[in-house]
Structures are given as C-alpha cells and as structure tokens.
Amino acid sequence: MELSKENPIPLAVETRALTKKYKKKIAVNQMNMQVPEGAIYGFIGRNGAGKSTTLKMLCGLAHPTEGEISLYGKPSHSPLAARRIGCLIESAGIYPNLTARQNMIMKSKCIGLTDEKKADDLLTLTGLSPAEPKKAKTFSMGMKQRLGIALALLGNPDLLILDEPINGLDPKGVREIRQLILKLNQEGKTFLISSHILGELSKISTHYGIIQNGNLVEQLEREELERNCEDYFFIQVDDPRRALALIQEYRPDIRAEAEDGSTLHLYGLQEGGTMNRYLIENRIQVYASGFHHMDLEEYFLARMDGAGATEQRKETKSHV
Ligand code: ATP
C-alpha cells in the first residue's frame, strides 16, 4: 500500500520511523504506518508483537523513543489532533468504583462536555444500560469493553483506536460490536483496531497492517489481500494427463500443474466456468473445481512463520 506523498488519500494516522524501546527490548521498530481516513484498519500480530505499545504511543499513553506520529496531518501532541481521537486501550480510563454512567459523566466533565443525555445514548448504543447499578470493578470483560468503547466515543472523535475491542465478548456481543463499528464507519469514522482474532477482523477491515516482533512487515488493502489469497484454480478430473495437455493447448498463458493422481492446479486463471466447459466438451469428466483461497489466518501465519505455515490449505470446492 503506497499512501505516502504521491497518494492523495488523506491519512488519519501516519507514523515515521516510530520506535519504542524498553531498556534493551525494542517493542516497536522504525514503524511507518499509514491509516487512510475512512478506513477500518486491522492491526494484526501475535501476543507481544508490539500492537498495544504502538497504539499507546498513538493515543499519547506512551512516549516514543524515536520517530514521529501525525494525526490528520498534525503532530500527535497538538491539542487539535488529540481532540479528534478516541481510545480504548486495555481498561485504561475506567474508574473501578464508579458505575458505567458515573464513568461516562466523569469523562464528559473532564473533556468539557455537559450533555448527560449524550452519555446515556452512547451507553445504550454500546449495549449497556445507563441505569445499571453495578460498579465497573464487578463488570465482566465484555461489559468493560463496551464501557471502554462508549468512553472512547465521547466527544464524537473522528478516529477510534481500539485495542482488542472484542476480547472477552460472547459471539452475540462480538456481532453487536462488529455491527456498531460498521455503522459508525459508514457515518464517517475511521477505525484502527488491533486484534489477534483474525477471522473477526477480516469481516470488517478495509486495510491491514501486520506486525511481527515490533516490525510492520506488511500493509495492504482488502482488495490486495483478496488478490493475494486467491492463488489457484483446482480441478479434479478422471484423466489428469490428457486434461493437462488440453489445458496447455487451450490456455498456454496460464501455468497448470498436476497435484496428485486426479487434481490439477491452474495458476493465473481469472474465471473457471469456461475451463470446466472446455474440458467437459473434450470428454474429460470434471468431478470438482473451484478457486483456492488462503484465508486471512493462513495469510497471516505465512507472514509470521514462513512458508511452512501455508501447508494446511483450504479449498473452496464447487462440485460439478
Ligand atoms: P499483547 O496482545 O500480548 O499485549 P502486543 O502485540 O500488544 O501483545 P505489546 O504489549 O505492545 O505487544 O508488547 C511488545 C513487547 O514489549 C513485548 O515483548 C512486551 O513484553 C514488551 N513490553 C510491553 N510493555 C512493556 C513495559 N512497560 N516494559 C517492558 N517491556 C514491555
């Protein structure tokens, strides 16, 4: 993803050589991250990869050792930039002895807001009751996450930075938070979300950043990911040798390989139906065919662990 000088898409977040060292440990190393305005940017990495440290620096909760951060084109320490972002980082900012509503009112006052109804509306929006009498210290993880998101939304920020927002939520809660994120994104908010729950991220992200050992190893858009994951068309036939010869004659521009006693893999084919018809017309029995898609998890593992991780491949078969 090339989003620097040449690219006109305005950036909500841009970091240059952002680095954080804890004594000798380099938690984040020379990171150049670009989050376009309007994106849902999925920030993926294993435990300890440096996600929280990066997000803490973006939210002003940790000082970079080196490098620069700009938010909406302004240095992150400028009050104008800070006002445009809302953060959910761990349980930071939640007062344990206050109820959800009291937490909301407390933060509202701190940032100069007086409309208590807005606070109540945000609690309702995130699935919490303003009338809930429990103190935050007794909340489940899921309730804490919801309160954290409601707090992050106070002040109507343009950019929401959420560290593992679906941690601890049950499947219904995950779906609700996903729908909330999508709704807010459609209304124009940009999201930077870290998660190790890759399947969930892939349902909503428009952009991805993959971090490994403090290094941003790849940034890509959803369309690029889909292209990268769609790597071959497989076709299971009765006579693979003859099918291979027919394919090579019909489409010399694509690469075809025999995979096992009955399956061929075709690389570079955009559409499969015509190939199926051609083989059937030439008296080849086609038992199954389809595009193989690496899912996000496979793709991620391949980036994290090297090529060996792609061995367990999933094939989306369409039987003919
Ligand atoms: P997780 O999801 O487990 O929190 P993460 O990707 O968010 O993982 P970080 O919490 O950013 O990773 O940690 C990155 C590295 O920096 C880890 O090796 C961690 O042990 C180290 N680290 C984080 N915070 C500190 C700290 N305050 N002091 C020393 N080392 C730290």
Side-chain angles (χ1 to χ4, degrees):
M1 186 168 51
E2 303 261 340
L3 292 168
S4 51
K5 289 172 206 134
E6 314 80 46
N7 199 315
I9 300 173
L11 296 174
V13 177
E14 184 167 27
T15 72
R16 282 174 291 271
L18 185 64
T19 300
K20 179 72 182 177
K21 291 181 192 160
Y22 293 109
K23 297 193 177 143
K24 284 191 178 156
K25 168 83 195 169
I26 302 178
V28 175
N29 186 28
Q30 300 284 317
M31 182 179 291
N32 298 316
M33 170 190 264
Q34 292 110 7
V35 180
E37 280 186 34
I40 299 179
Y41 185 103
F43 192 35
I44 309 168
R46 291 197 179 286
N47 286 345
K51 303 180 297 295
S52 299
T53 305
T54 305
L55 300 189
K56 280 180 191 160
M57 288 192 282
L58 298 180
C59 295
L61 299 171
H63 282 293
T65 312
E66 284 168 34
E68 292 168 34
I69 301 170
S70 69
L71 302 171
Y72 293 96
K74 302 207 161 44
S76 59
H77 48 77
S78 99
L80 271 178
R83 221 172 288 152
R84 294 186 73 175
I85 68 168
C87 302
L88 163 66
I89 309 277
E90 289 154 7
S91 297
I94 296 182
Y95 292 95
N97 284 319
L98 300 184
T99 66
R101 187 166 195 275
Q102 288 167 340
N103 264 288
M104 292 291 282
I105 303 296
M106 171 80 99
K107 179 163 177 203
S108 296
K109 286 186 177 150
C110 287
I111 59 176
L113 303 174
T114 51
D115 184 359
E116 294 193 0
K117 182 166 180 314
K118 184 73 195 158
D120 290 349
D121 290 348
L122 288 175
L123 285 173
T124 309
L125 185 71
T126 53
L128 289 171
S129 165
E132 174 61 62
K134 277 191 201 166
K135 290 183 174 168
K137 66 182 172 195
T138 67
F139 280 10
S140 66
M141 186 69 179
M143 287 173 82
K144 280 191 187 141
Q145 296 287 44
R146 289 167 197 272
L147 175 56
I149 295 173
L151 287 165
L153 283 165
L154 274 173
N156 197 22
D158 297 310
L159 166 67
L160 283 143
I161 297 180
L162 309 179
D163 193 14
E164 303 270 2
I166 53 176
N167 248 8
L169 295 177
D170 60 17
K172 182 167 165 281
V174 169
R175 200 168 51 245
E176 285 167 6
I177 295 299
R178 189 199 314 143
Q179 282 161 354
L180 175 64
I181 290 170
L182 286 171
K183 177 172 174 285
L184 293 169
N185 179 248
Q186 274 154 17
E187 290 168 6
K189 294 197 190 300
T190 304
F191 283 85
L192 169 48
I193 306 172
S194 79
S195 185
H196 62 277
I197 307 174
L198 306 164
E200 269 314 312
L201 265 188
S202 69
K203 287 182 185 147
I204 55 173
S205 295
T206 59
H207 294 73
Y208 297 92
I210 301 175
I211 180 170
Q212 178 195 32
N213 284 336
N215 296 297
L216 191 65
V217 290
E218 189 161 3
Q219 273 193 126
L220 74 176
E221 295 178 27
R222 176 171 43 207
E223 293 74 21
E224 286 175 273
L225 177 69
E226 283 168 3
R227 265 200 310 279
N228 292 353
C229 286
E230 187 172 287
D231 49 4
Y232 60 81
F233 185 71
F234 68 94
I235 191 155
Q236 207 182 358
V237 292
D238 60 340
D239 187 346
R241 280 183 65 178
R242 200 165 72 81
L244 194 58
L246 281 165
I247 291 166
Q248 282 164 348
E249 188 181 66
Y250 179 52
R251 289 291 304 269
D253 56 313
I254 65 168
R255 185 161 61 88
E257 288 175 4
E259 182 63 16
D260 56 36
S262 64
T263 309
L264 304 175
H265 286 179
L266 314 187
Y267 296 86
L269 194 69
Q270 301 302 321
E271 186 269 326
T274 314
M275 180 59 77
N276 281 344
R277 273 195 302 281
Y278 173 75
L279 291 175
I280 292 164
E281 278 162 18
N282 283 281
R283 288 170 286 103
I284 296 285
Q285 288 248 21
V286 178
Y287 300 128
S289 68
F291 279 97
H292 164 270
H293 293 268
M294 249 196 292
D295 63 21
L296 177 63
E297 187 149 9
E298 270 185 286
Y299 189 86
F300 167 77
L301 289 173
R303 298 292 164 293
M304 299 293 96
D305 304 331
T310 58
E311 272 165 24
Q312 285 186 332
R313 300 190 154 221
K314 283 186 194 149
E315 292 183 340
T316 46
K317 290 197 178 190
S318 67
H319 291 272
V320 288

